[in-house]
Amino acid sequence: MAKESFVKNRIKSVGFALRGALLLIRTEASIKVQVFIAIVMTSAGFFFDISNTEWIVQILTIAAIMGVEGLNTAVEKLADFVQPEFDEKIGVIKDVSAGAVMLVSIAATIIGFIIYLPKIF
């Protein structure tokens, strides 16, 4: 069996990642909310003509939230697969994963206030 080239493997990997991102957006309510907020904040960035540095921070913040949200979803699905019945230990794992999303969301909100409150007032 011939080994696939590095380039072909990378193209396949990108395809799998895109499929996963689209699956996440299509099937998870929480990421749909995050995508909507990301669109609103991106529009606000154009409206308020934020600086390059503010764009960088905003883009990294949006990516962090969506990335952590995706990992949270993966942890929850894996936990449900491993233990479909209620299990207190699995509940703790899911709570910690959701808590990570909450922490990043709080930080994102603070960043949004730092960027936009001076422009609004």
Side-chain angles (χ1 to χ4, degrees), residues 12-22:
K12 279 186 176 182
S13 293
V14 169
F16 294 142
L18 284 172
R19 185 177 71 190
L22 291 173

Side-chain angles (χ1 to χ4, degrees), residues 76-91:
E76 288 182 356
K77 294 212 179 289
L78 181 60
D80 290 343
F81 177 76
V82 169
Q83 180 53 275
E85 303 300 320
F86 175 79
D87 184 296
E88 194 173 309
K89 291 177 183 177
I90 293 291

Side-chain angles (χ1 to χ4, degrees), residues 15-89:
F16 294 142
L18 284 172
R19 185 177 71 190
L22 291 173
L23 184 63
L24 180 67
I25 292 167
R26 279 197 330 263
T27 62
E28 295 300 318
S30 56
I31 199 77
K32 289 177 184 178
V33 171
Q34 299 298 346
V35 168
F36 174 76
I37 293 169
I39 291 168
V40 169
M41 297 313 295
T42 300
S43 299
F46 287 113
F47 181 80
F48 288 106
D49 194 29
I50 63 176
S51 72
N52 286 345
T53 302
E54 290 167 330
W55 272 115
I56 290 166
V57 172
Q58 180 166 298
I59 290 166
L60 286 171
T61 302
I62 290 168
I65 289 174
M66 290 194 185
V68 173
E69 189 71 62
L71 290 173
N72 177 56
T73 298
V75 166
E76 288 182 356
K77 294 212 179 289
L78 181 60
D80 290 343
F81 177 76
V82 169
Q83 180 53 275
E85 303 300 320
F86 175 79
D87 184 296
E88 194 173 309
K89 291 177 183 177

